[in-house]
Amino acid sequence: MRKFIFIINAIELLQLLMSGKCVQGVLYIDKNTGLLTFRAYNRKPRNQVSDKLIHQLEMGWVKESAEKYKLFISVYKKLGLARILSILDRETKEAKNALFDKELIDSI
């Protein structure tokens, strides 16, 4: 049994296939024509900018993205609550100082 497939944007699809790329899409029966139809997905690459490291902390880091400042701190549970709280305070204070220094340098 032979089936004919109607391909939407056949020239663009053929160019992608000839360049060695895989093409993802959907294969369906068109309601209006009743033909088996292939429509390629219009995939676009993600142009995501990675975060910029402002300061490396002892237990984490401070980074800057396009919209936010990010603070990450990771502390072992086995250190005990009192020591964990003091580490969190120390790391937060150091992160604040790093942001303050960055703003001073940027303003000059």
Side-chain angles (χ1 to χ4, degrees):
M1 184 165 84
R2 189 178 289 201
K3 288 283 183 182
F4 292 100
I5 300 174
F6 177 70
I7 299 176
I8 299 174
N9 296 331
I11 296 172
E12 294 174 16
L13 181 65
L14 184 62
Q15 289 174 348
L16 287 172
L17 291 172
M18 294 301 286
S19 68
K21 296 190 177 184
C22 294
V23 178
Q24 293 180 345
V26 61
L27 187 64
Y28 62 96
I29 297 178
D30 192 8
K31 291 180 183 177
N32 298 330
T33 61
L35 295 174
L36 191 59
T37 307
F38 177 78
R39 183 174 53 86
Y41 294 141
N42 187 13
R43 300 284 169 108
K44 295 182 181 175
R46 296 179 64 176
N47 297 329
Q48 187 173 2
V49 179
S50 61
D51 297 338
K52 179 182 168 190
L53 180 69
I54 294 176
H55 188 70
Q56 182 69 46
L57 303 171
E58 184 180 348
M59 301 280 186
W61 44 254
V62 181
K63 290 185 179 181
E64 177 183 16
S65 70
E67 298 175 357
K68 298 179 181 181
Y69 289 113
K70 299 178 182 181
L71 172 64
F72 175 76
I73 302 172
S74 178
V75 185
Y76 291 108
K77 289 181 181 179
K78 64 183 177 183
L79 295 176
L81 183 61
R83 193 158 174 208
I84 289 173
L85 293 177
S86 67
I87 290 171
L88 289 174
D89 289 337
R90 184 187 72 224
E91 296 289 298
T92 305
K93 186 180 238 181
E94 189 175 344
K96 287 179 185 179
N97 289 335
L99 287 174
F100 184 70
D101 292 343
K102 181 196 174 299
E103 290 297 320
L104 283 178
I105 291 171
D106 289 346
S107 66
I108 294 176

